Structure formats: structure tokens, C-alpha cells
Amino acid sequence: MSKLELQHAVEQFLYRQAEILDGKRWQDYIGLFAKDGIYWMPADPSHKTWEGMPAIFAEDINLMTVRMDRVMHPDAWSQRPHWGTNHVVSNVVIEKTSPNGDVHVRSRFHMLELRRDDVRHFAGSYRHHLKKAKDGYRIKLQRVDMTNAQAAYDYVLQVWV
Amino acid sequence: MLQEQFADLAKCVEPDRVRREVYTEPAIFELEMQRIHERYWIYCGHESQVPKPGDYYTVQIGRQPMLMVRGKDKRVHVLYNRCPHRGNMMCGDRHGNTGEFFRCSYHAWTFQHDGALRTIPMMESGYAGTRYGKDNPDCSMKKAARVESYRGFVFASLAKDGPDLKEFLGESKIAFDDMCDRAPEGEVEVVPNCFRVIQHSNWKIFLENQLDALHPSVVHQSTGRAAHEMEKRIEKKTGKAPLSYHMLSAFATVTIDKWDVFQTLNYPQGHCILTGYMGLRPKDSDTLAYEKVMQKAYGKQRAESILAVNIHHVLIYPGLSVQSPLQQLRAVRPLGVDKTLTEIWHFRLKGAPEPIYRRSLAYYNLVNSPATLINADDLENFWKCHQGLSSDGGDWVSFGRHFGRDIEKPGGMVETGPNMGTSEAPMRNQMKAWAQYMAAGR
């Protein structure tokens, strides 16, 4: 795969991920992760590992499934009001490629969220460790450093950003 | 009109119900900040947050911006975050180290860590013959009237008079005893991360929810069920699911009819204790290893009595909610009549094996983080509660569940009756204390 093709493939993957989130296709989202994949939003940008550290999210597929099942339950009260999101992903930079096809990529995101009548903005950076799979990539680790996370939370996050 | 209506605040509180304005009226909020939060003992932080001289953390007490700072003398001081010269805020960051002394960013007045004036630029030429100088206490940063700590937990009171900290805490000090005793070294250490979550509701709505044993199975069912399903699946596959799933599934497996078996103990200061329910003393190898370390540290008998303490939650009125067996606490900072900040911390048991810390951490992340699987639905209800109370649809908030069946003990402690754990006694008790504080502060 040429550099350009690789860049294209990785970008397409990130765009698809954003579409899945905005489409609230939670099972498809979990499906993007490797069996041992982790979704991680550190409590602090200085954190180097999710293990044994306070984290906003630090979820394997099992915990992600709990989150999905909970959000889809009719009595998940905080999820009852109408809400929707729009993710834009950009600044995609491939940091590292491995002979086995794994890719480390960083990017930036901007998300607009509408909840009831309120519009909010969230932004930050993604860092994906993608594992090569037969049909594309699977996420081994997705690190999300959300800039808003350094201020008091005037909201609660209920799904992955 | 307002003054007329609320001239006698006592009329707002009846034994089993409270006027809605107590939650929504800005004038009442101002009064309760003066008469409660700026008078009684408010939690500032843990000593381990400020280990080195000059380390500080800002903290809000009532409406007052304060800071907790470690002095060169090793003592922890609590000061108003304000320069006595022109009123400039001294520390603009939430926390940090101020160095050898405080230095105002406006005109460079400097102060010792205990707030005492150190220097003013060109003090002699600028101030000779004036009333300003080191001899005038008004030229130093003002201190909190009283600062005390209990087992490393620092509290301040902005009033000179009143009960001392130990007397004020009374039985609720078990929150800190239980947390610290569970450490083989008898001490805890803060994990330096604070989750700060804003609630768009009155501070009392949060406090009332803390020992409301009826709400979990209604509010947290969605998470409880989802976690229980996963717990069963993992158990089937591997024989044992991590304890973190149990922490969540208990919200569903303890069904609404089972919550009555628990008990709340309610004290005249407004403090409340909820007896435990989470089964946090399993028989797995991690727990057994920890129990061995405890026995070595304390002796078998004492270790057993520590581990047998069965409380889930202690509410220390008016602003602290402690879950000692999980080493977490939430400090409540009212920001406005309809806006409340919670500061959420957790602690390491000094000398305990790492897996025991990981339990506390799992609870911190899953229940208390800003992506919480539990509190999100509480916040939604708090907001809806405040919205409803702002309407003219009714004048009263009712606390009638098991009213008249509470058991009053000598000394004023009120216990819920047998099999009445869902009693609204904690809310009745908090409002009774509130009315007394408000009347005393007049």
C-alpha cells in the first residue's frame, strides 16, 4: 500500500467511525474494536496508561456493551430527552506503521451536541492504535483527550465521543 | 413581600414537608449561605493534597473563595483568596505551589503562607505615618476563623464561635475512622485527581438523594440490569466476574422491595448514616490477602472489628458525602440557588495491596466520573426536580414515607424502624437541622 493509499484508508476508517457515532449505531461502534480493544478518555492529559489510573472512560468491550445496553434501556432517564451529535474529524497524521500493518494515527475532532434546546461544543484529539484486519482495521486502543475535560463538567457524557 | 412571606423561616419547614421556596428562592439561598455554610464546618480538602510548603488548593466555602495552603511550619492554613490591598484575587489557578510566599499580581504585596503581611514595595517611603503596615492586621490576608483537621481531613469554619470540629462531626466521624482504619497504616492518601461535576439544581436536592434508599432501583435500573446481564455472561465464561460489575448490578438485583431492610441513622446536626448493602467483603483471594495484611497490622480481633463495619454512606451536613468502604467522597459546593458543584475525590489505603485500590478506582471511574453510568440519571432527576419546584403547581415537597414510625433515641438520634430503610427520615432530619441552623443564625 502506498503512503497515499494508507492515508486514505485510515481517514476513511476515522470518517466511518464518526458516522457510526452520529448515527447512534452503538453495536457497530463496538464492532470497530479488536477483541481486546480499549476506549480510553484519560482524566488528565499527562496520563500515559489507562490501567490503574482515574479515567473518564476506560472500557473494554464488555464494559462498552454494558454502556450500550444501558443507553438503549427505556428507563435510562438522562438519555430520554432528544439529543444528537455531529462529529468532524480532521488533521489526520499517521505517526507510525508496523510491518504487520498496524497503524498509529492521531487526529483532531470537533463535536457539536444538541440536547433538548442546548447546543454544546466538544473538541480534542484522538489517538488510534489500529490493528490490521482482513476487512480493514480494528481499534486496539482509542485515546481521546477532550479539551473540555479540563474544566468542570457542566454535563455528563453518556456515550463515547 | 418576600420578607413578609419568609419572615419566619420556621413556617417553611413542617415535620413531614417543606415549602418549595426553600429550594428555589434566591433570598433564602443567600441566608443559608450566611447562616449555615459560612458558619459551620465545611470540608476543605485532605492534607495530602498539599504535601509541600507553598502547595495550595482553592476551595469555595459558602460564597467565599478560600485557599488551603501548606505552610513552612508544616501546618495547613485556610485563607481568603484575596489581597487586603485592593481586593485582588491572590491565586488565579485552581491549585499549585505559591513558592516561599504569596505575591499579589497587581501591586506585589507579599504574604507568608499563614497570610501575614511580609513586604509591600517601598513600604517605608510609601506608607510611613499611615495606618498601613505590618502592625495592622487588616494588611494581612484574612484567615478562616477556625481550621481543624480530623485524621487528615481538613475543615474550616468562618465563624469564631460554635462547636469544635469533633463535637460538630459527632457520630459522623465514623466516615473518616472507617476509611482510615481500613488502611493497614491507619492513614489514607488522596489520589490527585478531582472530578468536578455541575448540577443544575439546589444543593439540598443532592444531599437528600444521598440516603434515599428508594431511588436506586427506580433511577439506576437501566445500568443495574445491563451490568447484571454482563456479569452473568462473564461468570458463565470464566467462572468469576470482576467485583466492579457487582457494584453496578446491585442497583438492579437489590429490587425495590428489598431496600427496606437497610437502615438510616439520623443525627441532630443533620448528618446521616446509611448502613451497608454492597457486599464488599467477598471471599476472593485479593480480599483474603488484604485481610491478612490487616490482621498483621492490627491483630486479629481489631482487624475483624474494622472489617465488620457495615456502612455504605455517611452524609456530613451541610456539604460532604462520604463512602468510606470505597474510599470516595463528594464535597458539595453551592454556586447558586440552582447550581451546585460536586468535587469528587478518592483515596488510597496506605499499606493495602494494589487490588484493593483498584476496587476503589473502579467505583470512582464507573460511578463517579463525568461519564458515570450511575449519577447521570440522578443529575437528570435533580434538574427535573428543580424545574418542577420552580412552578406554581404546588407549594410543598413531601417527606411522608414512614413518617411517624421513626425511633427517637436519647441524645436526639433518629433511627428508621425495623424494615423501613426507605423511610424519608434522612430528609425530615436534614430539614429539621436546617430550620434550627437558620433560626439560630438570625
Side-chain angles (χ1 to χ4, degrees):
Chain A
M1 205 187 273
S2 77
K3 264 192 165 176
L4 219 55
E5 282 167 342
L6 179 66
Q7 179 79 21
H8 179 75
V10 166
E11 283 179 1
Q12 289 300 309
F13 181 88
L14 295 175
Y15 299 160
R16 200 165 66 244
Q17 180 182 28
E19 272 182 3
I20 287 172
L21 281 174
D22 292 337
K24 301 185 180 176
R25 287 153 49 201
W26 312 129
Q27 189 64 65
D28 290 347
Y29 185 71
I30 295 173
L32 294 177
F33 284 74
K35 270 191 188 137
D36 58 351
I38 298 286
Y39 179 90
W40 176 35
M41 187 185 287
D44 190 279
S46 67
H47 291 178
K48 300 267 188 276
T49 171
W50 61 274
E51 271 180 295
M53 302 293 280
I56 298 160
F57 291 84
E59 300 185 351
D60 60 9
I61 283 189
N62 286 341
L63 263 175
M64 289 177 83
T65 304
V66 171
R67 187 175 289 281
M68 171 181 73
D69 289 349
R70 162 203 150 44
V71 165
M72 289 166 67
H73 190 281
D75 292 347
W77 308 107
S78 67
Q79 300 310 296
R80 289 283 284 275
H82 171 73
W83 64 279
T85 59
N86 264 283
H87 285 74
V88 175
V89 183
S90 185
N91 306 19
V92 180
V93 178
I94 292 172
E95 289 185 331
K96 198 170 103 182
T97 51
S98 303
N100 64 6
D102 284 13
V103 182
H104 290 251
V105 55
R106 68 172 190 265
S107 56
R108 295 266 164 177
F109 69 89
H110 197 121
M111 176 184 96
L112 175 146
E113 183 209 67
L114 173 76
R115 190 174 289 265
R116 287 198 178 92
D117 288 336
D118 296 328
V119 169
R120 294 188 288 210
H121 294 273
F122 299 83
S125 65
Y126 288 144
R127 195 158 280 210
H128 285 80
H129 176 180
L130 300 176
K131 259 173 85 143
K132 189 87 189 90
K134 274 188 200 133
D135 55 348
Y137 292 104
R138 293 287 179 280
I139 301 168
K140 171 109 171 129
L141 178 67
Q142 176 172 1
R143 174 179 176 142
V144 183
D145 284 285
M146 196 171 75
T147 307
N148 311 56
Q150 298 315 306
Y153 289 81
D154 200 348
Y155 49 84
V156 177
L157 300 169
Q158 284 302 281
V159 290
W160 311 283
V161 175
Chain B
M1 190 184 121
L2 186 71
Q3 257 178 334
E4 252 167 61
Q5 198 178 353
F6 302 113
D8 192 357
L9 279 170
K11 284 195 181 138
C12 293
V13 181
E14 293 181 8
D16 62 340
R17 60 178 194 168
V18 177
R19 290 278 306 192
R20 69 179 179 89
E21 292 87 350
V22 164
Y23 300 85
T24 58
E25 175 50 53
I28 294 183
F29 176 80
E30 288 296 311
L31 281 181
E32 60 190 4
M33 290 304 101
Q34 273 173 35
R35 295 180 184 177
I36 303 177
H37 288 77
E38 294 172 12
R39 184 162 300 195
Y40 294 95
W41 291 97
I42 299 293
Y43 179 65
C44 296
H46 192 262
E47 286 177 7
S48 59
Q49 278 169 243
V50 287
K52 295 189 300 294
D55 284 350
Y56 70 86
Y57 252 93
T58 58
V59 56
Q60 182 95 2
I61 298 184
R63 298 155 303 177
Q64 311 303 321
M66 310 293 290
L67 46 91
M68 173 175 89
V69 58
R70 174 79 65 173
K72 272 177 253 169
D73 56 359
K74 299 273 154 62
R75 285 178 54 205
V76 175
H77 307 280
V78 178
L79 310 169
Y80 288 75
N81 187 8
R82 175 189 189 277
C83 178
H85 174 214
R86 296 271 281 274
N88 210 38
M89 181 192 275
M90 288 301 293
C91 296
D93 289 341
R94 219 158 51 76
H95 58 94
N97 186 290
T98 186
E100 292 281 298
F101 48 82
F102 291 106
R103 182 174 185 274
C104 181
S105 59
Y106 200 2
H107 302 96
W109 287 32
T110 63
F111 305 90
Q112 311 289 0
H113 293 147
D114 66 358
L117 177 66
R118 185 176 162 274
T119 58
I120 299 176
M122 297 162 288
M123 180 143 65
E124 195 44 42
S125 59
Y127 286 97
T130 72
R131 66 166 99 175
Y132 304 98
K134 284 192 181 176
D135 296 336
N136 182 348
D138 289 345
C139 291
S140 289
M141 287 169 72
K142 190 176 171 181
K143 292 180 182 190
R146 293 181 293 162
V147 180
E148 284 190 52
S149 80
Y150 183 74
R151 300 198 74 165
F153 296 83
V154 181
F155 287 74
S157 158
L158 302 187
K160 278 196 216 83
D161 308 312
D164 65 24
L165 177 62
K166 229 172 162 178
E167 187 190 340
F168 178 77
L169 290 176
E171 296 298 318
S172 75
K173 73 180 174 56
I174 195 171
F176 308 116
D177 289 332
D178 184 41
M179 201 194 290
C180 297
D181 289 347
R182 284 172 186 273
E185 293 174 23
E187 274 185 350
V188 295
E189 187 174 36
V190 79
V191 178
N193 181 74
C194 181
F195 286 139
R196 297 182 300 144
V197 178
I198 286 173
Q199 309 173 355
H200 289 274
S201 46
N202 186 263
W203 61 280
K204 296 188 291 300
I205 295 175
F206 173 79
L207 293 196
E208 284 159 5
N209 184 68
Q210 295 310 291
L211 290 92
D212 181 329
L214 192 72
H215 88 281
S217 49
V218 181
V219 177
H220 305 307
Q221 200 195 136
S222 59
T223 296
R225 281 200 182 179
H228 189 49
E229 286 306 311
M230 184 54 71
E231 190 180 19
K232 285 191 292 191
R233 250 179 279 168
I234 297 176
E235 258 169 21
K236 213 169 167 189
K237 233 198 255 174
T238 68
K240 183 98 195 86
L243 194 67
S244 49
Y245 287 91
H246 176 71
M247 291 170 181
L248 298 174
S249 66
F251 288 104
T253 51
V254 183
T255 49
I256 197 159
D257 51 310
K258 290 189 201 147
W259 288 87
D260 261 333
V261 304
F262 307 108
Q263 195 180 32
T264 60
L265 313 173
N266 303 282
Y267 297 91
Q269 303 93 323
H271 313 323
C272 310
I273 297 172
L274 172 68
T275 57
Y277 67 87
M278 275 194 169
L280 286 174
R281 206 181 161 189
K283 291 282 166 214
D284 62 299
S285 56
D286 290 339
T287 310
L288 296 177
Y290 162 63
E291 291 190 357
K292 271 206 178 122
V293 179
M294 286 292 282
Q295 286 163 4
K296 208 172 159 200
Y298 288 102
K300 216 168 178 174
Q301 214 178 343
R302 173 80 182 119
E304 184 50 40
S305 73
I306 291 168
L307 295 165
V309 170
N310 186 34
I311 54 174
H312 175 63
H313 217 126
V314 180
L315 178 81
I316 300 175
Y317 203 78
L320 191 64
S321 163
V322 187
Q323 283 176 286
S324 49
L326 289 158
Q327 298 93 49
Q328 340 250 316
L329 64 77
R330 283 178 279 183
V332 182
R333 315 284 180 202
L335 301 180
V337 70
D338 59 353
K339 195 173 175 187
T340 306
L341 173 70
T342 49
E343 296 172 345
I344 312 170
W345 295 91
H346 74 304
F347 299 84
R348 268 180 196 275
L349 299 174
K350 278 190 170 179
E354 180 68 14
I356 299 301
Y357 166 65
R358 294 294 176 99
R359 268 173 210 179
S360 166
L361 177 67
Y363 194 83
Y364 187 68
N365 286 347
L366 293 172
V367 176
N368 277 327
S369 93
T372 167
L373 288 162
I374 298 293
N375 296 341
D377 298 324
D378 286 324
L379 296 193
E380 176 74 7
N381 277 312
F382 299 167
W383 177 78
K384 284 159 81 178
C385 227
H386 199 101
Q387 293 300 304
L389 291 177
S390 306
S391 87
D392 290 334
D395 290 333
W396 295 92
V397 176
S398 87
F399 297 133
R401 194 172 177 84
H402 289 308
F403 177 61
R405 298 171 199 154
D406 300 334
I407 301 163
E408 193 158 342
K409 298 276 176 172
M413 194 264 270
V414 170
E415 231 176 62
T416 49
N419 211 31
M420 294 180 199
T422 63
S423 166
E424 282 166 338
M427 301 81 184
R428 292 192 283 273
N429 188 63
Q430 285 171 44
M431 283 317 306
K432 191 175 159 193
W434 181 91
Q436 281 166 359
Y437 289 134
M438 293 296 273
R442 247 198 295 187

